[in-house]
Amino acid sequence: MAISHFNDLLSEARSQHRPQRLLLVFARAELPDYPDDEQRRRFDEGEGGVLAPTVCADKTPDELEDMGALVKEAQQIGAEWDLFFVAAMDDPGDDDEIQLQLTKMTESLQTGNVGSFIAFDKNGEALSLNG
């Protein structure tokens, strides 16, 4: 199944034989430290910048009705974000393992390794990022 929207991912995760856990990292696009004029221009045009994770969460697919529910929950906790990344895993039933995987995911994103995750915008549309 091609995943073009977050709701597609929820549906696919719900259909898996084993229970799934979704790892979510919300991020803001920011200018890098000490940007040059070209970096500043590209950022002002909506390109470039660096990703700064702001909030991490893990959810079972059944804990989220749809993209609207996710946005509402993010608003309720005051999360600031421009996009979010998702990874799915078989639910290990172990909070420590889930936290370890969230930490690894966040570290990967901070180093620009975005290829292992699906990125979505605030409308739930899948994004294609160069990483």
Side-chain angles (χ1 to χ4, degrees):
M1 169 183 204
I3 295 175
S4 60
H5 193 275
F6 182 69
N7 292 342
D8 298 336
L9 178 67
L10 284 174
S11 178
E12 185 66 20
R14 289 180 187 124
S15 73
Q16 296 301 302
H17 179 64
R18 292 186 169 149
Q20 297 293 295
R21 184 64 75 161
L22 300 177
L23 307 179
L24 303 106
V25 176
F26 295 80
R28 290 187 51 96
E30 297 179 347
L31 276 169
D33 292 337
Y34 313 108
D36 61 28
D37 290 339
E38 177 65 13
Q39 289 171 317
R40 192 175 303 281
R41 181 192 65 76
R42 288 189 63 223
F43 185 80
D44 289 343
E45 292 175 357
E47 298 178 6
V50 296
L51 294 173
T54 59
V55 176
C56 298
D58 69 280
K59 298 284 184 182
T60 67
D62 294 331
E63 289 177 311
L64 293 170
E65 181 179 335
D66 58 16
M67 181 62 191
L70 179 66
V71 169
K72 184 176 180 180
E73 189 172 324
Q75 288 172 336
Q76 287 174 340
I77 64 168
E80 293 186 30
W81 57 285
D82 296 312
L83 68 161
F84 68 102
F85 295 86
V86 181
M89 64 186 282
D90 289 346
D91 191 338
D94 178 357
D95 289 343
D96 289 339
E97 179 61 25
I98 293 167
Q99 186 57 50
L100 175 66
Q101 294 306 317
L102 268 173
T103 299
K104 287 181 179 181
M105 184 176 173
T106 302
E107 290 170 352
S108 290
L109 293 171
Q110 288 173 319
T111 61
N113 180 10
V114 298
S116 300
F117 314 108
I118 302 175
F120 296 95
D121 66 14
K122 286 188 170 191
N123 296 316
E125 299 295 326
L127 301 170
S128 176
L129 301 177
N130 298 324

